[in-house]
Amino acid sequence: MSLEMSTLVTYAKTKGFVYQGSEIYGGLANSWDYGPLGAQLKENIKNLWIKEFVQKRKDMVLLDASIMMNPNVWVASGHVGSFSDPLMECKECHTRHRADKLVEEALERDPNFPVPANWAWDKTPLEDLNSYNTAGHLACPNCGAKNWGEVKRFNLMLSTSQWVTEDGTSLVYLRPETAQGIFVNFSNIARSSRKKIPFGVAQCGKAFRNEITPKNFIFRTREFEQIEIEYFCKPGTDAETFETWLVDEGKFFTDVLGLKSDKVRFIEIPAEGLPHYSKRAGDFEYLFPFGWGEISTLANRTDYDLGAHMKHSGADLSYFDPYDNTKYLPYVIEPSIGLSRLTLAALCDSYDEIPGEEWTSKVVMRFAPQVAPIKVGIFPLVKKFSESANELYGILSKEFMCEYDEAGTIWKRYQRADEIGIPFSICIEPENYDQGQVTVRDRDTGEQEIVVIVELIEWLKTKGC
Ligand SMILES: [Zn+2]
């Protein structure tokens, strides 16, 4: 059964995954708040990423840089000068649209759709986009008119001001990506962590982009969360390093997070679509209900960023390689993931609607145990067994997020557990409990298994919790 986004949005709100931001004030356009289950889900994905790419590896470290940075960072990175989208307004209905996105959407519907002269996605020259509009190729997706205002560049950085003196403020940007925090700290990290190239730096955090057309729930929002890695390597080893990350990242999506492999793909960005400094890049995409959408970009950024910061700051960011006594600017492979988008992918991937019999759940969230916001449901068969159930809660909650529920029939509680994707539910009955064992129900098979309490934590861990 195919899932509609509107169904998922409603479901996510009802169960406490994601709410509309500032809802009691009528909301704020395009802002979303992660509820108790959504916050935990996002945290689990982030922690699995840290475990996989930092904890398990000797060549990776973690960083947490500031959201607000010296504005010169964004001059050096090119964001002040050229981080912009081609924006145009419909003269009939006054809605605003990205010229490049409308062309891309038209191409998806019809690969033979004409493109503007010198077509280079969001970098297409404005004069070519304007003459393309004059020729009447694009219709307004809102009202169908072909009457466009002039295409203009619109910078995507959000800014605020901070006090510098008693009578003045200065402009600061909210970072549009976490990556630059890693580049400007490169020398600090290399020195203090004693890592030798090749090594990488991972960072999780909020980033902000003033998107013209945010849409699709938490897929494209102005405030979002990234999990990014900058992997520094010796020039000449970059092509091979890219290949390795391509495999490792793909495995992370399918093997570690458990996303369905036929819903994840890697699309190479053609050479003419690459930024001038990039040698190779591509997008990992997930098949969302609205179509394929980017969840990650893997890019070979060469030595562009370190070189730009060296030039603008005057700091020497070159690296002395003790293995062969050479000095060079490292190349960078960047696996950059949108954590908010990946959380949406996990929600879509898990959602399973089953035509109901009386006692079965209508919706089951089939999260992989390692991703599931809550791992174990603990349900006393009847209320008078609550003391034993609370005792077990005390034991298991040291290791796992647990849910305690004593309201309603046991089947009703199993159903509620399925609806929020709890992989294992435990029913407490005194005959069993007093003998040191419990019955564990598997969410996906419905099968029940007797497990000895002293082995329960280990048992749950081997199941992926
Ligand atoms: Zn219009």
Side-chain angles (χ1 to χ4, degrees):
M1 192 177 293
S2 75
L3 170 65
E4 296 285 336
M5 277 311 279
S6 56
T7 308
L8 186 74
V9 173
T10 306
Y11 193 77
K13 179 185 169 179
T14 311
K15 294 297 165 190
F17 287 99
V18 181
Y19 311 123
Q20 183 187 12
S22 318
E23 190 184 24
I24 62 168
Y25 286 95
L28 170 69
N30 184 242
S31 77
W32 301 95
D33 295 341
Y34 290 81
L37 294 175
Q40 192 64 52
L41 174 64
K42 183 154 64 70
E43 203 62 14
N44 290 352
I45 294 173
K46 184 170 94 179
N47 289 334
L48 285 164
W49 179 80
I50 292 175
K51 188 173 185 182
E52 195 63 23
F53 292 122
V54 182
Q55 185 179 328
K56 285 186 180 176
R57 298 175 60 137
K58 299 188 200 79
D59 58 344
M60 292 285 304
V61 290
L62 198 61
L63 177 77
D64 184 11
S66 294
I67 286 174
M68 292 185 288
M69 304 177 76
N70 186 311
N72 288 326
V73 169
W74 307 111
V75 176
S77 69
H79 286 82
V80 169
S82 65
F83 188 52
S84 58
D85 281 340
L87 171 74
M88 59 194 190
E89 189 173 316
C90 170
K91 281 185 171 172
E92 304 295 327
C93 71
H94 301 287
T95 54
R96 292 172 161 197
H97 304 274
R98 272 179 67 175
D100 58 317
K101 285 287 166 201
L102 292 191
V103 178
E104 273 182 52
E105 283 162 20
L107 281 173
E108 266 167 39
R109 289 188 297 269
D110 171 14
N112 296 318
F113 196 83
V115 296
N118 302 308
W119 169 237
W121 292 267
D122 56 333
K123 303 283 177 274
T124 309
L126 292 183
E127 56 270 29
D128 295 311
L129 290 171
N130 277 317
S131 51
Y132 180 76
N133 276 349
T134 310
H137 291 296
L138 289 179
C140 170
N142 188 49
C143 73
K146 292 184 170 182
N147 187 8
W148 295 106
E150 200 188 335
V151 186
K152 291 177 183 156
R153 291 251 153 227
F154 177 80
N155 194 288
L156 296 179
M157 278 200 293
L158 275 112
S159 59
T160 185
S161 51
Q162 71 177 15
W163 294 103
V164 281
T165 59
E166 271 180 15
D167 53 358
T169 61
S170 80
L171 176 84
V172 283
Y173 297 104
L174 304 184
R175 65 181 176 197
E177 59 178 31
T178 58
Q180 301 302 325
I182 298 177
F183 295 128
V184 301
N185 279 297
F186 171 71
S187 294
N188 275 337
I189 297 166
R191 261 196 306 271
S192 58
S193 70
R194 298 170 49 246
K195 292 290 173 203
K196 305 281 179 281
I197 278 182
F199 73 91
V201 183
Q203 184 172 216
C204 322
K206 288 260 169 110
F208 303 82
R209 291 180 190 178
N210 208 356
E211 298 280 358
I212 296 164
T213 49
K215 62 176 177 182
N216 288 327
F217 195 27
I218 51 173
F219 180 76
R220 186 182 299 140
T221 50
R222 297 197 171 104
E223 175 180 345
F224 57 99
E225 217 164 334
Q226 290 186 309
I227 43 180
E228 280 196 311
I229 290 167
E230 305 302 329
Y231 195 83
F232 300 98
C233 62
K234 189 173 185 173
T237 64
D238 49 309
E240 192 187 333
T241 307
F242 187 102
E243 291 292 341
T244 311
W245 275 104
L246 183 56
V247 174
D248 290 352
E249 240 200 313
K251 278 189 187 157
F252 175 69
F253 296 130
T254 54
D255 299 3
V256 179
L257 298 184
L259 296 179
K260 296 180 183 81
S261 55
D262 59 341
K263 291 197 167 184
V264 178
R265 70 178 186 186
F266 182 76
I267 297 288
E268 196 87 27
I269 296 172
E272 64 271 24
L274 292 175
H276 63 92
Y277 52 81
S278 184
K279 264 176 80 177
R280 186 184 172 192
D283 294 334
F284 279 96
E285 297 182 336
Y286 179 80
L287 186 54
F288 291 100
F290 51 82
W292 290 98
E294 175 198 327
I295 50 173
S296 168
T297 296
L298 178 62
N300 180 343
R301 300 183 61 98
T302 66
D303 58 2
Y304 174 77
D305 303 274
L306 288 178
H309 286 303
M310 195 152 113
K311 188 172 137 223
H312 281 82
S313 69
D316 183 5
L317 299 180
S318 58
Y319 173 81
F320 178 77
D321 197 324
Y323 295 123
D324 58 6
N325 293 327
T326 52
K327 199 177 172 188
Y328 54 83
L329 263 191
Y331 267 37
V332 170
I333 305 299
E334 177 187 74
S336 167
I337 299 174
L339 177 59
S340 320
R341 291 179 174 193
L342 203 47
T343 306
L344 179 61
L347 283 170
C348 296
D349 213 64
S350 311
Y351 188 95
D352 187 12
E353 205 168 315
I354 308 163
E357 290 170 49
E358 213 179 328
W359 49 270
T360 54
S361 311
K362 199 165 169 259
V363 173
V364 181
M365 295 300 284
R366 300 197 189 277
F367 295 116
Q370 63 273 24
V371 170
I374 296 171
K375 315 294 187 196
V376 193
I378 299 171
F379 312 141
L381 184 61
V382 291
K383 269 188 189 160
K384 64 177 174 186
F385 309 148
S386 65
E387 198 181 321
S388 309
N390 274 304
E391 185 182 69
L392 189 68
Y393 188 96
I395 296 168
L396 294 184
S397 62
K398 290 193 184 97
E399 294 286 335
F400 313 106
M401 287 297 289
C402 301
E403 172 97 341
Y404 181 87
D405 191 354
E406 57 177 31
T409 65
I410 191 72
W411 286 113
K412 192 70 201 163
R413 284 178 269 166
Y414 284 154
Q415 178 176 329
R416 283 200 292 265
D418 289 350
E419 284 169 357
I420 60 173
I422 299 177
F424 300 103
S425 294
I426 297 173
C427 177
I428 310 288
E429 314 142 274
E431 312 87 81
N432 266 339
Y433 197 80
D434 294 344
Q435 290 170 34
Q437 55 193 26
V438 288
T439 309
V440 186
R441 173 183 174 271
D442 182 298
R443 174 197 66 204
D444 294 330
T445 62
E447 279 170 18
Q448 312 218 13
E449 191 175 329
I450 305 273
V451 182
V452 178
I453 294 171
V454 292
E455 291 167 5
L456 193 52
I457 288 176
E458 211 40 52
W459 187 90
L460 287 162
K461 282 185 177 171
T462 58
K463 298 282 182 182
C465 291

